[in-house]
Amino acid sequence: MGEVVGFVVVWIILSLLAEWGLSAVKAHTLYDVIASQGFLAERAFNFLATWLTPVFVFVVVYLIYVLIRFHAPNGKPERSRSQFIRNKGFVAFWVGFSFFVNILFWLHPTSADLEQMFASDMPSRNHGDLIVDVTARQWEWIFSYPQYKVTQAVNHLGEDELELPVGRKVEFVMRSYDPFHTYDVYAGVIHDFWIPAFGTKEDVIPGITRYEYIRPTVLASYKTNPMVRVQCAEVCGPGHPWMEAPVSIVTPSHFSKWIKHQQTLEAHAGG
Amino acid sequence: MAQNIVTEATPYRTRPTMPPVLRGFLWAAIGFLVLNMATIAVDPFRGHPFITEISAVIGWVGGVIGWLLGVGGWEGVVLPLFGVPNPWVAAPGWRKYLELSTEHKVIGIQYLISSTGTFGIAGLLAMGIRYELMQPSLHFFTYPDQYLTAVGVHGTLMMFAVGTVALVGGLGNYMVPLMIGAKGTVFPRLSGIGHWLVPAGVLTVIFSPLFGYWTTGWRGYEPLASQDPSGIIYYYLGVAALTLSSTCVAVNLAATIVFHRSNGVTWARLPLFVWGILTVSLLNLIWLPEIQMTFVLGLLDRLVPFNFFDAIGSPLNYLSLFWLFGHPEVYIVVVPALALWNEIIPVMAQKSLFGRSWAVIGLIFVMMLSGLVWAHHMFTNMRNSEMFPFSFFTEMISIPTGFSFLAAIGTLWKSRYRLFTPGLLVIMSMFNFLVGGLTGVFLADPPVNLEVHNTFFVVAHFHYTIIGGMVFTWVAAMYYWIPKLSGRMYNEFWGKLLAIVIFIGFNGAFSQMFLLGLHGMNRWVPAYPPYLKPMNYEVSLFAFLLGAGFIGHGIHLWWTWVKGPVTPDNPWNGRTLEWLTTSPPPPENFNGEVLVTGSFYRYDIDKPAAVLHPPE
Ligand code: HEM
Ligand SMILES: [Cu+2]
Ligand SMILES: [Cu+2]
């Protein structure tokens, strides 16, 4: 019994220390997020980390304990004096705890967050969203703003870029096909629309139109934070690593200026 | 009556005149050419090339048949089928490893050699991948699709010729009959010929880039695969050969476990590793045919072509079909390793196995649940409503997986654990698999998954389970059983030192990959934004240390096999049946009849678990 108490004490102390260390790390956030969905994911991540830390510490402390306390000093085969093959208390604790933790995790964060996520996708919640049509082709992201009649937003170098006003909900309408080679059925492959700082990603699949709803809440730009970029996250052939585009989250007034600029650019294009 | 006369009248020459492997290559070339030309004759293609995609497929079938017949299938399998007597005389010495064999111990070692060789090749590719990733832009590979092919060949070989094979075809073939007191397996010829599909499959995958770099990685995702150059065909075919080999192993070992247990090896006494192999064999029998059919569909989609999996059909169907197999596959890899922990720990600890029935139930439930979780690889492309069941089952599967920890931890408590190399490696493997398993809980939560899916977080997670769990345990089991395999003992100093080296190299490299993923590093990229370089650089240095450590283990085990000091038959004082016989065991495994009267895992009992009655 003394052995058990000793171990449990060490476990509790080290778990507390580990929790303290984890909260120190959490303060710096493991990843940068700037959008609603990202905060959801980050909270879930932290919740799971908090609960799993004592589990991790339990096994690690145990293994180290074995190395120190329970190893045979010389390699001679020597039987342990205690030879139990069952212990109801320990088994009940282990099995009970693992059921408890896993069901807990499925209820919270999983189910709770999913409900929240699905709710934000509902049509009733999405009046007046900023609509951005996202077209994925090998190997380019094309962004159009149908509400503003902008068919392809580009920066001063002519590269595709995505700019969004802070605080406004966005509806991404995503399709994978090649607008320049619509006759080729093999030209469409699976891509994945990922903005690391948004904390979510979604596959873009040939033949299916998919939607993503998200609200960016922090001013940010690729120029200062490389996680604020669109990055294809599903292998789509040799151009895959370079299938990226810069993103900026700007103030609403800056956004209207930018949209006007895009409209003028398009008015003069091809003219 | 006539039969006897025939036997004596026609002494059939059964040894081939040239080394079987050489003859295998020759017959493979002939087989390929014959069927290739036959196809071209029936189905000429515009421009009249000598090899088309279709003839390459049919020619390949001829090549594999030629190879299998050449290495001994002709004398060992085909002639006996037609009633020709006295089929095959095994070559003496090391040559028996280079031809068809029907002895499970030889076959086991053949599988181990093939797996180890493949591990070296695929590991070298990993080093190439890590060398490339030391810089943010292409500097080592010439083209991005060359890099992607390296990743694909690495993953394909590691999964289908190492992960699925080493512990099952290799140690399973060698040890399972010994551990159940059997003198052989139920289908020795099937098993013997099955091994030779491994080199065929491995060579097919390795040389696939000659037909064009394919870019899909080991999952062969559609519709990208339809777009890829012809090399992808040899990915499908190589995997077909490799999975067929594992199917042969599964049929043979499952039947052997059910029908060839010696007296007293009841189900309640069946050793844990044997339970592991039985559950894995059932998984293989269910899911390998499934992936084979999927790849046939992929192949037809391309050759005919159909539109099963492109924008006109449904790309998602391919994804589901792949992961239906793909998830059980990860348990095929890891279940034997989990079973081995609880095989090795009681022996090293000289202490009775704790909660044996929990350990067995864990393996069985993992087997059953593993078919219900496949779509957790598809959270980024499924319907919302599907997220609930798939996250539920995924979270639940960690419960039976945990039972292996439960048994191990209970056994270690208050033991006198002998920290020999196998013991140390098992402890390390438990740590690594713990990290892999706990990060899996994060991945099971869809909102978190949607962020880290397809990033290096996932690469780290599955390498923790596969290298950390399965490969570390494989190395542990090699040290544990090398005295059995060779009658010789390894060097404790080198064993431990190298164990520490791979532990540091592995954790140094892969723990940082979690952070890379969280910081926005995605998979399948030979180039990445420069802010990720410093950490990638470090990861690669640790990866090279890991690679060097594995080579060290390989050399050390090889040295043990040829030169290590001779050891007694039962150096660890183990109670399972393989320790009842000599090291290495005689061709018939036991000189006499095995009778089991007690438990293999009770160290509180002095009486041995079994006795060997010498032949009368
Ligand atoms: C020996 C040390 C190893 C190193 C340094 C290593 C490294 C890597 C890296 C960096 C990748 C990701 C490439 C990318 O997505 O861009 C990768 C992929 C992969 N590795 Fe390993 N690996 C090693 C051993 C293994 C082993 C032992 C297995 C399994 C038995 C394995 C299975 C895989 C698989 C299945 C993939 C995915 C391939 C794909 O995406 O198609 N690796 N490896
Ligand atoms: Cu891509
Ligand atoms: Cu899975």
Side-chain angles (χ1 to χ4, degrees):
Chain A
M1 207 58 210
E3 195 81 61
V4 176
V5 174
F7 173 77
V8 170
V9 169
V10 176
W11 170 40
I12 292 177
I13 293 176
L14 288 179
S15 291
L16 290 175
L17 279 176
E19 293 288 3
W20 174 77
L22 181 70
S23 59
V25 177
K26 270 193 299 206
H28 299 275
T29 66
L30 285 170
Y31 46 92
D32 299 304
V33 278
I34 57 164
S36 46
Q37 178 69 30
F39 291 112
L40 202 74
E42 194 184 31
R43 271 200 309 276
F45 192 99
N46 290 340
F47 182 88
L48 294 171
T50 307
W51 275 83
L52 290 176
T53 293
V55 179
F56 179 72
V57 173
F58 179 91
V59 180
V60 173
V61 169
Y62 190 90
L63 294 176
I64 295 172
Y65 209 80
V66 167
L67 297 183
I68 297 170
R69 293 272 305 148
F70 298 146
H71 83 270
N74 51 26
K76 296 269 156 353
E78 193 181 331
R79 283 188 202 156
S80 155
R81 261 178 302 268
S82 65
Q83 290 282 355
F84 53 93
I85 56 169
R86 56 180 74 86
N87 179 324
K88 285 213 183 74
F90 178 58
V91 170
F93 166 70
W94 184 282
V95 177
F97 184 76
S98 48
F99 266 96
F100 166 74
V101 166
N102 282 290
I103 290 173
L104 168 72
F105 285 171
W106 188 67
L107 294 174
H108 180 92
T110 300
S111 296
D113 287 355
L114 283 180
E115 288 298 349
Q116 207 173 322
M117 209 171 110
F118 300 164
S120 81
D121 292 2
M122 286 190 328
S124 56
R125 298 273 190 107
N126 290 290
H127 296 302
D129 291 0
L130 171 66
I131 295 177
V132 180
D133 286 342
V134 178
T135 307
R137 69 182 277 263
Q138 282 170 317
W139 290 277
E140 181 184 16
W141 294 104
I142 300 171
F143 307 103
S144 9
Y145 294 75
Q147 290 149 325
Y148 299 96
K149 308 218 162 25
V150 172
T151 49
Q152 181 168 8
V154 292
N155 67 11
H156 64 288
L157 296 172
E159 298 162 345
D160 295 283
E161 85 172 324
L162 177 64
E163 194 155 318
L164 302 169
V166 72
R168 178 155 172 209
K169 190 121 171 230
V170 187
E171 172 180 327
F172 291 108
V173 181
M174 303 183 291
R175 292 198 295 161
S176 166
Y177 73 106
D178 192 332
F180 311 121
H181 303 88
T182 42
Y183 48 83
D184 182 354
V185 293
Y186 293 118
V189 302
I190 302 179
H191 301 276
D192 190 298
F193 181 70
W194 182 39
I195 299 172
F198 277 14
T200 190
K201 65 170 69 68
E202 208 171 306
D203 279 11
V204 192
I205 299 159
I208 306 183
T209 303
R210 309 196 73 218
Y211 302 85
E212 183 177 308
Y213 302 90
I214 206 157
R215 190 193 303 276
T217 52
V218 182
L219 291 177
S221 155
Y222 179 63
K223 290 198 194 77
T224 52
N225 182 355
M227 285 187 67
V228 189
R229 68 182 196 274
V230 177
Q231 170 80 59
C232 178
E234 183 56 72
V235 64
C236 54
H240 167 63
W242 297 282
M243 192 165 157
E244 43 186 14
V247 178
S248 341
I249 315 298
V250 297
T251 56
S253 64
H254 190 290
F255 179 73
S256 356
K257 259 196 263 154
W258 179 81
I259 279 287
K260 286 230 179 60
H261 175 63
Q262 294 297 329
Q263 287 164 336
T264 2
L265 277 181
E266 294 204 350
H268 292 83
Chain B
M1 63 102 253
Q3 215 171 0
N4 277 338
I5 301 167
V6 174
T7 314
E8 270 136 43
T10 46
Y12 202 86
R13 195 163 57 94
T14 49
R15 298 264 347 137
T17 42
M18 72 171 98
V21 171
L22 205 60
R23 194 182 68 172
F25 278 114
L26 185 67
W27 289 13
I30 296 172
F32 181 89
L33 287 176
V34 170
L35 286 198
N36 182 70
M37 290 193 293
T39 316
I40 293 291
V42 180
D43 178 29
F45 195 72
R46 70 185 117 82
H48 299 284
F50 183 63
I51 297 181
T52 65
E53 286 197 345
I54 295 175
S55 78
V57 172
I58 297 177
W60 178 87
V61 174
V64 172
I65 293 175
W67 163 255
L68 294 180
L69 295 180
V71 294
W74 175 245
E75 292 86 352
V77 177
V78 176
L79 290 183
L81 273 181
F82 290 99
V84 177
N86 187 17
W88 180 247
V89 186
W94 56 270
R95 282 201 191 81
K96 65 174 176 286
Y97 298 114
L98 293 179
E99 62 178 36
L100 178 86
S101 171
T102 50
E103 194 196 322
H104 70 94
K105 297 191 288 300
V106 177
I107 298 169
I109 288 177
Q110 287 175 340
Y111 269 110
L112 283 174
I113 294 170
S114 295
S115 254
T116 309
T118 311
F119 185 73
I121 295 165
L124 218 57
L125 283 169
M127 298 301 119
I129 295 170
R130 280 318 319 176
Y131 185 68
E132 172 62 58
L133 294 178
M134 291 175 92
Q135 301 293 339
S137 55
L138 267 185
H139 66 106
F140 177 58
F141 290 101
T142 318
Y143 308 104
D145 38 0
Q146 200 176 39
Y147 173 86
L148 290 174
T149 306
V151 172
V153 172
H154 162 77
T156 307
L157 292 181
M158 284 295 193
M159 293 311 280
F160 292 108
V162 180
T164 319
V165 172
L167 294 183
V168 187
L171 290 174
N173 255 317
Y174 196 105
M175 287 300 163
V176 162
L178 283 167
M179 294 177 94
I180 59 176
K183 304 215 155 163
T185 59
V186 174
F187 303 114
R189 285 185 205 139
L190 176 75
S191 167
I193 204 77
H195 162 263
W196 292 96
L197 285 163
V198 174
V202 169
L203 290 174
T204 307
V205 175
I206 289 177
F207 288 110
S208 64
L210 292 179
F211 288 77
Y213 294 130
W214 45 285
T215 62
T216 60
W218 86 290
R219 307 162 312 159
Y221 266 18
E222 297 278 7
L224 185 60
S226 312
Q227 209 191 52
D228 264 347
S230 314
I232 189 91
I233 288 180
Y234 278 179
Y235 151 80
Y236 292 131
L237 295 175
V239 174
L242 292 170
T243 47
L244 198 59
S245 173
S246 285
T247 314
C248 297
V249 175
V251 172
N252 182 41
L253 289 185
T256 303
I257 294 167
V258 175
F259 296 111
H260 267 23
R261 281 168 290 132
S262 81
N263 271 338
V265 185
T266 58
W267 287 105
R269 285 186 184 141
L270 203 64
L272 274 203
F273 182 59
V274 178
W275 270 114
I277 294 295
L278 183 64
T279 44
V280 161
S281 297
L282 294 178
L283 281 177
N284 274 331
L285 288 175
I286 298 168
W287 297 111
L288 292 180
E290 192 272 337
I291 192 67
Q292 289 168 340
M293 285 323 295
T294 304
F295 281 9
V296 167
L297 291 179
L299 194 59
L300 290 178
D301 205 13
R302 176 189 189 91
L303 293 183
V304 173
F306 291 114
N307 290 295
F308 294 144
F309 301 127
D310 58 22
I312 300 172
S314 167
L316 286 186
N317 284 354
Y318 179 85
L319 271 57
S320 267
L321 287 171
F322 181 83
W323 287 112
L324 259 171
F325 147 82
H327 192 83
E329 162 70 10
V330 310
Y331 287 99
I332 289 169
V333 173
V334 93
V335 157
L338 298 180
L340 274 170
W341 292 353
N342 289 320
E343 201 64 66
I344 296 176
I345 287 175
V347 178
M348 287 297 139
Q350 294 291 298
K351 181 161 171 288
S352 306
L353 177 61
F354 179 84
R356 178 178 178 284
S357 44
W358 287 99
V360 174
I361 289 171
L363 300 180
I364 293 174
F365 270 84
V366 162
M367 173 191 98
M368 297 198 304
L369 280 174
S370 70
L372 300 177
V373 300
W374 78 92
H376 65 208
H377 299 266
M378 301 170 58
F379 283 133
T380 50
N381 49 42
M382 66 170 51
R383 266 170 295 164
N384 284 350
S385 54
E386 289 164 358
M387 288 186 181
F388 286 108
F390 284 111
S391 58
F392 178 77
F393 286 121
T394 305
E395 276 158 17
M396 289 307 132
I397 205 167
S398 61
I399 297 172
T401 311
F403 291 173
S404 293
F405 277 95
L406 168 73
I409 282 177
T411 310
L412 285 167
W413 186 253
K414 290 198 175 165
S415 65
R416 318 273 293 158
Y417 194 65
R418 292 178 293 164
L419 268 185
F420 292 126
T421 309
L424 181 62
L425 278 161
V426 166
I427 299 278
M428 290 173 169
S429 171
M430 286 175 69
F431 171 83
N432 296 336
F433 190 76
L434 175 74
V435 176
L438 292 184
T439 50
V441 178
F442 290 85
L443 289 167
D445 181 57
V448 174
N449 182 289
L450 293 180
E451 170 61 357
V452 294
H453 176 72
N454 276 356
T455 69
F456 264 69
F457 190 92
V458 172
V459 176
H461 156 73
F462 72 75
H463 282 89
Y464 258 94
T465 58
I466 300 178
I467 303 184
M470 178 264 171
V471 176
F472 270 70
T473 306
W474 177 25
V475 180
M478 288 311 294
Y479 281 111
Y480 177 66
W481 275 324
I482 191 91
K484 179 64 15 193
L485 266 55
S486 65
R488 294 168 187 278
M489 189 49 107
Y490 64 87
N491 178 294
E492 200 52 62
F493 170 77
W494 284 105
K496 276 212 192 84
L497 180 73
L498 289 167
I500 293 169
V501 169
I502 58 172
F503 187 74
I504 294 174
F506 171 73
N507 279 287
F510 287 90
S511 65
Q512 298 194 71
M513 286 190 202
F514 287 117
L515 297 175
L516 276 175
L518 290 172
H519 292 161
M521 168 111 182
N522 52 328
R523 290 173 69 181
W524 306 293
V525 287
Y528 53 82
Y531 75 99
L532 295 165
K533 172 178 164 176
M535 201 177 270
N536 265 309
Y537 199 89
E538 253 174 57
V539 166
S540 294
L541 294 181
F542 279 110
F544 300 147
L545 181 68
L546 175 63
F550 280 134
I551 293 175
H553 279 296
I555 294 172
H556 182 207
L557 286 166
W558 178 254
W559 168 86
T560 308
W561 175 272
V562 289
K563 276 223 173 78
V566 174
T567 174
D569 285 340
N570 187 359
W572 308 123
N573 203 26
R575 286 171 65 86
T576 34
L577 290 179
E578 79 272 26
W579 300 112
L580 192 65
T581 183
T582 54
S583 297
E588 292 271 271
N589 288 350
F590 300 93
N591 286 321
E593 286 305 315
V594 179
L595 178 64
V596 177
T597 53
S599 161
F600 298 126
Y601 300 103
R602 293 294 294 266
Y603 284 88
D604 49 348
I605 298 169
D606 278 325
K607 207 167 91 155
V611 282
L612 189 60
H613 292 298
E616 279 108 53

